[in-house]
Amino acid sequence: MRRLWIIVGFGFLVSLLATGVWTYGYRQAVGQLAERAEADLKLASDRLSAQLQRYQETAVLMAEHPALEYLDLPGGRDAARDLLLDVADKTSALDVMYADRTGRVLVSARDPSLQTLSGAPYFERALQGALGSDHGVIAPFDQRAFYYAAPDFGPDGKVRGVLVVVVDIDNTEFDWRGSSPAVLFVDEAGEVFMSNRPELLFWRRDGGDAGLQPAKGPPRAFDTDLLGSFEIWTLDWGPYLPRHALHLVQDLPVIGMSGEVVVDLAPARRLAWLQAAAVAAICLAFGALLFLATERRRTLAEANAVLESRVAERTQALSEANTQLRREVVERQDAEAALKRAQAELVQAGKLSALGQMSAGISHELNQPLMAIQQFADNGAAFLDRGKSEKAGENLGRIAQMAKRMARIIKNLRAFARNESEPMGRVDLVQVIETAVDLSAARLTHDGVALDWAPPSAPVPAWGGEVRLVQVFVNLINNAVDAMAGRKLRRISIRIEESDKLTVTIRDTGPGIEDPEKIFEPFYSTKAVGSSEGMGLGLSISYGLVQSFGGNIRGANTDSGAMFTVELDRFTEEKAA
Ligand SMILES: Nc1ncnc2c1ncn2[C@@H]1O[C@H](COP(=O)(O)OP(=O)(O)OP(=O)(O)O)[C@@H](O)[C@H]1O
Ligand SMILES: [Mg+2]
């Protein structure tokens, strides 16, 4: 809407400017035209005056001619007529005649009717001794004519006759007929007497605003206007006259007429139009360029704004996504912590469950040395009674051994059952397996499982947590014992292999794993539900523990049973640091 108003306003300004330019250019052009027209009019007037002057002088000269003195003599008139005819021919005058004081024409070059001139104003003026002149349509020839009458003075100084020269206007006009611009000579009565446009002859100006109008027929379109000091005519006077014209007047008192010129304004108008059109075109082109440039800038700005808003939207969305992410991270951390807690609880539960499984064996394991201690103590007391202090000492030594073994078992159990976070670090893999075997020893003996385990003499340092690693191996040994229940051949072999990693393999002679893909899933168990065994947590807990040390645990079947492989990192000083 605003743009439309700007365009309309600009168009209005341009048209205003163009109008101004038109007016100014028109005035200038009309001024120049007027100068030229004035010169043209002066030229035409001067030429006419000069031509007429010639006839006037002829009249004056001929009036004094001696041939006119002897008209009353026989042959005098013929001689005089010959003379006048000669003069008329040479000057192309229409007629040359001589009249006496009464106005009776005595001799005429061409008109044989010898009319009377009495009463004609030019004749009367000549009778008074002055030079008479007039114009009109001469009767015998029906032609426009100019009259010049000169007095002929007698010896007494009185006017005795008048010589009249009749000038043929058609002949005078002939040279400049049709030339441009249109020039009119209007007499005092307001009638066009001479013109280079014959169609305007005898048009009359009756005063008022009607301008020149033909003597007969309907009035013709005419309008007059002023442009500064110039008179502008608007007319419809036929194909040889302009529609818009400049009208100039020059008075010619010598011949009693006014010369008028009607100049076509078309060139001036054309020039003005051209100038106005050029200015308007330049302005419009400039305006269009300006408009295009601003349009371009506007579209750019709009695109920019759209872009900026989009960027803002994106930024907003991003920051929202960011806070959302942060929230999610916090949630995940919380979940992780909860998971860790749950895992720790699971580990503990797993340990307790393993302890539960082992409790019967352990109590048997503890019971046996206790019984033996009691036996040895009794025997020792008996030996002391008998005074065999040496034997008693031996028994005491046995008792001490037994107590030491019991203490080891209890220490292991305590360490295993302890529910506290334990730092990772250097662990002797051999010692770990020894402890696991110790803890499982009761079950192994109870179920009659042979153990094939030859610990290497040197410690094998691994990276991990001792109690948790023990738990892993206890789990694996327990699973193997479970699997082999009811089998004839019951044997577990444990090996340590050292390469760039440490690998512990535990094989059994059981039926093998039913579904090796699933064994590490929590709560996956093939062991009878409701029995003391079979939570399905042992391996999943072990898996989590080994992973937490950066190690790996796998289960697979061999020809003779199942094989579990635990991979651990070697302990290095850099890792500790
Ligand atoms: N040595 C093995 N031989 C054959 N199958 C095994 C062996 N060890 C584990 N499995 C299979 O893997 C399953 C999962 O063992 P996992 O120790 O996780 O649970 P579980 O022993 O059944 O119960 P839990 O250990 O919680 O008391 C077992 O139920 C068994 O089917
Ligand atoms: Mg198990």
Side-chain angles (χ1 to χ4, degrees):
M1 201 59 198
R2 210 175 121 249
R3 265 182 294 163
L4 190 75
W5 278 116
I6 288 175
I7 292 172
V8 168
F10 182 71
F12 180 70
L13 279 182
V14 169
S15 56
L16 218 67
L17 182 67
T19 312
V21 168
W22 189 90
T23 314
Y24 180 76
Y26 187 54
R27 270 168 193 267
Q28 292 293 105
V30 168
Q32 283 170 8
L33 267 187
E35 269 174 34
R36 259 224 336 258
E38 224 164 304
D40 282 345
L41 179 60
K42 192 163 157 40
L43 199 72
S45 303
D46 286 353
R47 198 164 48 189
L48 180 67
S49 306
Q51 273 174 341
L52 293 180
Q53 188 82 31
R54 241 174 50 212
Y55 291 104
Q56 191 185 354
E57 282 160 7
T58 308
V60 172
L61 283 176
M62 286 307 295
E64 303 291 329
H65 201 281
L68 299 174
E69 282 174 30
Y70 311 108
L71 292 180
D72 295 333
L73 299 179
R77 291 203 181 190
D78 289 341
R81 187 169 45 246
D82 287 349
L83 173 72
L84 293 188
L85 186 61
D86 191 31
V87 169
D89 282 346
K90 282 182 178 150
T91 58
S92 337
L94 203 55
D95 204 354
V96 182
M97 44 194 169
Y98 185 77
D100 63 9
R101 283 189 59 85
T102 61
R104 194 162 52 91
V105 175
L106 300 178
V107 199
S108 168
R110 297 196 215 272
D111 183 10
S113 68
L114 300 180
Q115 54 190 324
T116 173
L117 298 179
S118 148
Y122 61 92
F123 177 73
E124 298 300 334
R125 231 177 121 55
L127 274 187
Q128 287 161 20
L131 202 64
S133 73
D134 199 3
H135 65 274
V137 178
I138 186 165
F141 307 104
D142 194 22
Q143 268 177 340
R144 283 170 300 146
F146 237 96
Y147 306 95
Y148 281 108
D152 176 20
F153 296 101
D156 51 357
K158 286 192 180 152
V159 177
R160 70 177 165 200
V162 172
L163 186 108
V164 178
V165 175
V166 184
V167 184
D168 182 0
I169 292 299
D170 278 341
N171 192 33
T172 314
E173 229 177 27
F174 188 75
D175 306 346
W176 41 287
R177 198 165 289 169
S179 69
S180 76
V183 177
L184 322 167
F185 291 96
V186 181
D187 62 18
E188 279 146 357
E191 191 179 58
V192 178
F193 188 66
M194 277 179 274
S195 173
N196 56 357
R197 297 288 186 281
E199 61 267 37
L200 295 184
L201 286 178
F202 305 119
W203 284 36
R204 300 191 63 81
R205 179 179 283 128
D206 293 327
D209 281 343
L212 285 170
Q213 291 294 346
K216 279 173 269 172
R220 306 293 284 268
F222 174 83
D223 195 20
T224 175
D225 224 339
L226 276 181
L227 179 77
S229 59
F230 302 121
E231 194 184 348
I232 305 295
W233 281 4
T234 307
L235 22 110
D236 186 11
W237 286 356
Y240 301 107
L241 282 149
R243 290 196 149 265
H244 302 277
L246 172 69
H247 178 235
L248 295 177
V249 185
Q250 190 185 10
D251 264 341
L252 298 174
V254 185
I255 56 170
M257 292 198 184
S258 62
E260 301 185 12
V261 66
V262 179
V263 189
D264 193 0
L265 283 178
R269 291 165 73 88
R270 238 187 339 259
L271 194 71
W273 275 119
L274 255 171
Q275 287 170 338
V279 167
I282 289 169
C283 285
L284 285 179
F286 186 71
L289 279 180
L290 208 74
F291 182 73
L292 281 182
T294 46
E295 271 305 89
R296 228 179 108 86
R297 244 189 34 205
R298 215 170 53 83
T299 3
L300 267 178
E302 267 174 16
N304 224 13
V306 168
L307 215 71
E308 263 167 27
S309 77
R310 252 187 229 163
V311 166
E313 266 169 36
R314 291 272 160 83
T315 314
Q316 171 79 7
L318 263 177
S319 61
E320 271 168 22
N322 222 13
T323 46
Q324 177 72 17
L325 262 176
R326 234 174 265 154
R327 208 173 305 133
E328 274 170 22
V329 165
V330 169
E331 275 168 20
R332 183 147 314 161
Q333 279 169 346
D334 288 351
E336 230 164 72
L339 198 71
K340 272 212 184 113
R341 264 197 312 278
Q343 250 169 2
E345 278 161 18
L346 267 180
V347 169
Q348 192 55 25
K351 284 199 282 195
L352 294 180
S353 142
L355 273 180
Q357 279 177 4
M358 295 181 292
S359 61
I362 289 166
S363 59
H364 171 75
E365 194 80 345
L366 291 178
N367 228 10
Q368 227 181 9
L370 257 183
M371 302 279 275
I373 285 171
Q374 198 175 5
Q375 195 66 46
F376 283 129
D378 287 349
N379 290 351
F383 282 132
L384 274 182
D385 282 348
R386 286 181 212 158
K388 291 182 177 173
S389 56
E390 202 176 306
K391 284 269 187 189
E394 205 174 292
N395 273 9
L396 281 178
R398 290 251 175 91
I399 287 172
Q401 238 175 36
M402 293 287 164
K404 210 187 264 172
R405 183 170 147 72
M406 283 175 73
R408 214 180 74 200
I409 291 172
I410 287 166
K411 187 186 136 213
N412 277 344
L413 275 176
R414 266 185 36 211
F416 187 71
R418 212 165 33 210
N419 181 19
E420 57 190 35
S421 54
E422 154 207 48
M424 282 202 277
R426 185 182 197 279
V427 177
D428 179 9
L429 204 48
V430 180
Q431 188 53 56
V432 164
I433 293 172
E434 286 281 83
T435 308
V437 168
D438 260 359
L439 281 172
S440 315
R443 266 207 90 192
L444 293 175
T445 341
H446 180 265
D447 282 33
V449 176
L451 181 66
D452 172 13
W453 160 238
S457 49
V460 177
W463 175 256
E466 186 162 11
V467 177
R468 283 170 287 172
L469 264 182
V470 169
Q471 188 179 356
V472 169
F473 289 111
V474 166
N475 272 335
L476 290 176
I477 292 168
N478 270 337
N479 276 349
V481 175
D482 287 344
M484 291 184 300
R487 302 283 285 191
K488 262 193 194 140
L489 181 64
R490 294 192 285 278
R491 184 192 182 83
I492 296 177
S493 356
I494 302 176
R495 293 278 177 281
I496 296 181
E497 281 163 35
E498 292 181 61
S499 54
D500 51 335
K501 290 215 163 201
L502 303 175
T503 313
V504 182
T505 53
I506 297 168
R507 296 162 194 263
D508 61 47
T509 54
I513 304 164
E514 232 178 79
D515 191 349
E517 298 281 298
K518 285 192 170 170
I519 49 174
F520 293 108
E521 287 175 12
F523 306 111
Y524 171 77
S525 174
T526 55
K527 291 165 194 174
V529 185
S531 87
S532 62
E533 317 161 276
M535 285 266 289
L537 285 176
L539 282 182
S540 70
I541 290 170
S542 302
Y543 185 87
L545 294 175
V546 174
Q547 289 270 320
S548 73
F549 304 145
N552 200 6
I553 179 168
R554 292 190 300 274
N557 286 323
T558 62
D559 303 338
S560 52
M563 176 178 86
F564 281 82
T565 312
V566 178
E567 259 176 28
L568 289 169
D569 285 339
R570 272 172 184 284
F571 172 81
T572 52
E573 291 299 331
E574 299 113 65
K575 242 183 174 163

